[in-house]
Amino acid sequence: MARNKKYPLDQQKLIELLQNHKDHLTSMSKWNVYSKEHDLPHSQTIIKYFGTWNKVKEALSLEQQGQSRPPEYTDEMLLEYLDRYKEEFTSISEWNTFAKTNQLPSYYTFTRHLGTEIVEQKTMTMVWDKNKLKRLILSYFPDTPPTVAKWMEVANKEKLPSHMTIVRHFKSWTQMKYEVYRS
């Protein structure tokens, strides 16, 4: 390590210097802003002395915050959550918002562990793909394609996916009409 005359030459002296500023060692980015304003060492300089940012915080007896391993969920735990909170599974985005607020697993965690089919069966929430959307659209509009306004009117009343879900899968409303009614 190259010697920097501006900062202490050993780890102990650096710890002593940082001790007076440890409330600002919450994250590297926040520290870098603070250190620049107060002529203190950059986070990368500090890491050279300790090896990692977490070791810096450990040396100063600070709580480890931020990045940690996500919790491990068993299939049984996830099935219990599905049963307990199935009324919150109105859509993937609604669930993820609810889950984040209540520190629950994301929709992706459920499907990764249990599979899409089980999640759909337990929650009655449909994960849409082109084929499912084609069948759904044809079931409501068997002869002619709906306009966006007509679709949204039915979708709101029947709790169907929005027109944006259809556009996301087909790339455009026009492309959906072509694939559903001309294929």
Side-chain angles (χ1 to χ4, degrees), residues 68-98:
S68 61
R69 292 192 76 137
E72 289 294 322
Y73 296 104
T74 65
D75 290 356
E76 293 75 27
M77 288 170 66
L78 293 171
L79 288 168
E80 182 182 324
Y81 287 141
L82 285 177
D83 288 336
R84 188 180 318 156
Y85 300 110
K86 65 179 156 191
E87 65 279 353
E88 302 297 334
F89 274 90
T90 55
S91 72
I92 295 169
S93 62
E94 290 289 324
W95 170 257
N96 285 339
T97 301
F98 176 79

Side-chain angles (χ1 to χ4, degrees), residues 124-139:
M124 303 300 277
T125 301
M126 183 68 72
V127 177
W128 298 104
D129 64 24
K130 270 188 175 184
N131 290 327
K132 289 177 186 174
L133 286 169
K134 282 181 185 182
R135 288 192 301 272
L136 179 70
I137 294 164
L138 286 170
S139 71

